[in-house]
């Protein structure tokens, strides 16, 4: 079976997490800014699309070469074996980007790559008229960085953060893959309590439950490559069956999400039910300062409002103070708060154990981490 050069794309700041996920799936990989490179065949494309929690997409690298002139871009693109990937009726739009390259006109680069592929396929398929482009979608991208050209084919379709369970969103929700990244960056384990005090539509608790049950995040959605005529449809059936067998539905999870907005709690419950996790998470309407617990060694993850809009700053700072007052006494609990307010610690009332820079979309945020006391080691017998 043919092997491909593959690349998983990721948000800035979480590339190492995606790399760790790919290694845990059994692949060697190379981590760079926003990209994680690895090799694999059709089964590996299916497996990574199904299982990667924190990546954006899985792409096939069709070709890499240097180009300093448009003629060179055309000829080197045309020389690639497009007929191995694109059938005669393929619909193949070309997206593009160019950074610090002599060929800086993105629209020209897109048009030239498209024309080169059309010429190649017209020769191969003996077409004198336009290619129909009535078949499955093969989304291509030409990316130029300092005169190096990389042409990729997207196997994923809609981004991997679109798990398919979010029927109700509310305001500006955290993307599912970023929510999963936040959970994976903490010390939480599935045998410990988990709490999100500003859960909104429930994304962070739902992602925690998917991790706790070892449910493949892409289990309930389809992928672009499943529509391709050369992609063996049995492979996805096998990979999904294997994923089903690996899920642990019997484990009892202690995951709670709360929010002051009752409407958001209803959204969260609907989304959890859609994800098949209605019995795994407890959602309740509650203000943050009312949280009390006798449990120990739990994890709190919060993605509070950032106060970006005019007039909201003071209310958000009051919320940060409430967090400090409510959570600081919980010495055995670890707390993790994502916010774009870099003065957060002064309102919380304590310096973080560690900070990690992350990007929520284009917005720079910090993940403030307050590590709790470790549980005592069991005595040796």
């Amino acid at each position: 079976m043919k092997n491909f050069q593959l690349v998983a794309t990721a948000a800035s700041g979480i590339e190492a997490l995606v790399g760790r996920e790919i290694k845990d799936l059994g692949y060697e990989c190379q981590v760079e800014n926003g990209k994680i490179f690895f090799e694999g065949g059709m089964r590996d494309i299916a497996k990574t699309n199904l299982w990667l929690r924190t990546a954006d997409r899985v792409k096939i690298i069709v070709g890499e070469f240097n180009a300093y002139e448009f003629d060179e871009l055309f000829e080197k693109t045309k020389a690639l074996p497009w007929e191995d990937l694109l059938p005669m009726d393929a619909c193949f739009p070309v997206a593009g980007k160019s950074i610090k390259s002599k060929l800086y006109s993105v629209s020209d680069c897109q048009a030239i790559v498209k024309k080169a592929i059309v010429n190649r396929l017209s020769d191969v398929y003996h077409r004198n008229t336009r290619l129909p482009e009535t078949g499955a979608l093969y989304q291509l991208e030409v990316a130029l960085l300092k005169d190096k050209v990389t042409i990729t084919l997207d196997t994923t379709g809609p981004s991997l953060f679109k798990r398919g369970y979010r029927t109700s969103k509310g305001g500006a929700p955290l993307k599912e893959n970023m929510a999963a990244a936040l959970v994976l960056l903490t010390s939480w384990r599935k045998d410990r309590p988990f709490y999100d005090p500003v859960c909104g539509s429930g994304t962070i608790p739902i992602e925690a439950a998917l991790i706790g049950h070892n449910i493949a995040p892409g289990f309930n959605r389809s992928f672009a490559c499943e529509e391709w005529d050369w992609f063996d449809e049995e492979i996805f059936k096998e990979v999904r069956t294997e994923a089903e067998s690996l899920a642990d539905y019997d484990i009892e999870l202690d995951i709670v999400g709360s929010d002051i907005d009752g409407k958001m709690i209803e959204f969260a419950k609907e989304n959890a039910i859609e994800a098949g996790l209605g019995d795994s998470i407890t959602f309740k309407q509650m203000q943050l300062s009312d949280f009390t617990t006798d449990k120990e060694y739990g994890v709190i993850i919060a993605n509070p409002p950032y106060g970006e809009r005019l007039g909201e700053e003071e209310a958000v700072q009051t919320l940060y103070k409430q967090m400090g007052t409510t959570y600081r006494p919980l010495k055995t609990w670890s707390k993790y708060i994502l916010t774009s307010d870099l003065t957060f610690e002064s309102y919380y009332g304590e310096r973080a154990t560690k900070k990690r820079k992350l990007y929520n979309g284009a917005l720079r945020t910090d993940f403030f981490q307050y590590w709790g006391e470790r549980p005592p080691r069991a005595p040796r017998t």
Side-chain angles (χ1 to χ4, degrees):
M1 188 176 289
K2 183 176 179 181
N3 255 23
F4 301 97
Q5 294 289 328
L6 302 171
V7 59
T9 58
S12 181
I14 63 169
E15 299 95 338
L17 267 185
V18 178
R20 192 171 80 197
E21 284 195 85
I22 289 172
K23 286 175 183 171
D24 288 346
L25 289 172
Y27 307 100
E28 291 182 11
C29 66
Q30 181 182 339
V31 178
E32 294 183 10
N33 285 343
K35 298 181 180 73
I36 302 85
F37 298 93
F38 63 108
E39 290 184 17
M42 281 190 273
R43 182 179 176 83
D44 308 304
I45 289 170
K47 189 174 177 181
T48 49
N49 269 306
L50 204 69
W51 278 102
L52 288 179
R53 298 183 189 278
T54 56
D56 287 328
R57 298 178 181 283
V58 177
K59 298 180 172 186
I60 294 169
I61 299 174
V62 183
E64 289 184 293
F65 51 84
N66 288 334
Y68 305 95
E69 296 177 348
F70 287 128
D71 284 348
E72 193 175 11
L73 176 62
F74 179 89
E75 294 300 337
K76 288 183 174 178
T77 299
K78 186 179 177 183
L80 296 170
W82 290 104
E83 63 277 10
D84 292 349
L85 297 170
L86 306 180
M88 187 179 69
D89 67 346
C91 175
F92 57 101
V94 180
K97 57 186 177 184
S98 179
I99 302 168
K100 296 178 181 176
S101 171
K102 288 184 178 67
L103 307 181
Y104 56 83
S105 170
V106 173
S107 58
D108 285 339
C109 291
Q110 290 170 262
I112 286 163
V113 166
K114 178 81 174 186
K115 185 178 178 183
I117 299 169
V118 168
N119 277 22
R120 169 95 183 199
L121 294 181
S122 295
D123 289 346
V124 170
Y125 296 128
H126 308 294
R127 294 280 297 193
N128 295 320
T129 54
R130 289 182 64 175
L131 295 168
E133 295 206 45
T134 52
L137 175 65
Y138 295 75
Q139 179 65 60
L140 300 170
E141 181 187 66
V142 53
L144 292 88
L145 176 61
K146 296 178 181 176
D147 305 315
K148 182 183 178 182
V149 179
T150 305
I151 303 178
T152 55
L153 170 60
D154 175 31
T155 72
T156 301
S159 176
L160 289 174
F161 80 80
K162 296 191 175 181
R163 319 284 205 224
Y165 63 71
R166 196 152 69 184
T167 57
S168 307
K169 297 180 185 178
L174 197 66
K175 288 180 179 177
E176 291 89 326
N177 53 358
M178 180 57 76
L182 298 186
V183 177
L184 293 172
L185 286 169
T186 73
S187 58
W188 182 66
R189 298 203 318 241
K190 56 190 176 184
D191 59 347
R192 294 187 183 170
F194 182 99
Y195 177 54
D196 177 354
V198 282
C199 71
S201 58
T203 308
I204 294 175
I206 290 170
E207 290 298 319
L210 289 172
I211 291 166
H213 286 301
N214 197 38
I215 296 170
F219 190 80
N220 287 320
R221 58 159 287 176
S222 58
F223 303 94
C225 59
E226 292 185 77
E227 300 298 317
W228 299 349
D229 64 352
W230 56 264
F231 205 102
D232 185 353
E233 63 183 45
E234 289 300 314
I235 286 173
F236 265 99
K237 288 180 185 175
E238 290 168 13
V239 170
R240 286 192 174 96
T241 300
E242 180 184 64
E244 180 74 14
S245 70
L246 292 170
D248 181 359
Y249 295 106
D250 297 328
I251 188 168
E252 294 263 336
L253 299 174
D254 184 358
I255 297 176
V256 177
S258 69
D259 201 281
I260 196 168
D261 186 342
K263 186 178 178 184
M264 295 308 294
I265 291 300
E266 291 308 310
F267 287 165
K269 287 177 179 176
E270 289 170 16
N271 291 338
I273 290 167
E274 186 66 26
L277 299 166
D279 296 330
S280 298
I281 310 166
T282 301
F283 288 109
K284 51 188 172 186
Q285 182 181 5
M286 185 174 78
Q287 61 183 16
L288 185 147
S289 55
D290 287 344
F291 178 71
T292 58
T293 183
D294 295 325
K295 297 169 185 174
E296 292 190 307
Y297 308 110
V299 163
I300 292 168
I301 300 183
N303 175 38
Y306 300 157
E308 297 288 315
R309 295 195 189 118
L310 202 63
E312 290 181 347
E313 194 173 346
E314 198 174 319
V316 169
Q317 288 165 355
T318 300
L319 184 71
Y320 296 160
K321 288 176 184 173
Q322 287 178 353
M323 283 184 167
T325 303
T326 307
Y327 301 148
R328 275 200 313 276
L330 304 174
K331 299 298 184 186
T332 69
W333 282 65
S334 292
K335 308 99 182 176
Y336 301 82
I337 297 99
L338 183 75
T339 176
S340 64
D341 187 343
L342 303 186
T343 64
F344 169 81
E345 290 160 303
S346 64
Y347 297 102
Y348 186 84
E350 184 183 353
R351 284 182 69 94
T353 314
K354 185 179 178 182
K355 289 187 287 185
R356 183 172 182 137
K357 182 168 68 175
L358 297 172
Y359 282 88
N360 184 8
L363 184 65
R364 152 77 193 272
T365 61
D366 272 17
F367 198 34
F368 293 88
Q369 307 176 31
Y370 296 87
W371 299 348
E373 296 170 4
R374 291 186 175 184
R377 287 186 176 181
R380 290 182 179 177
T381 53

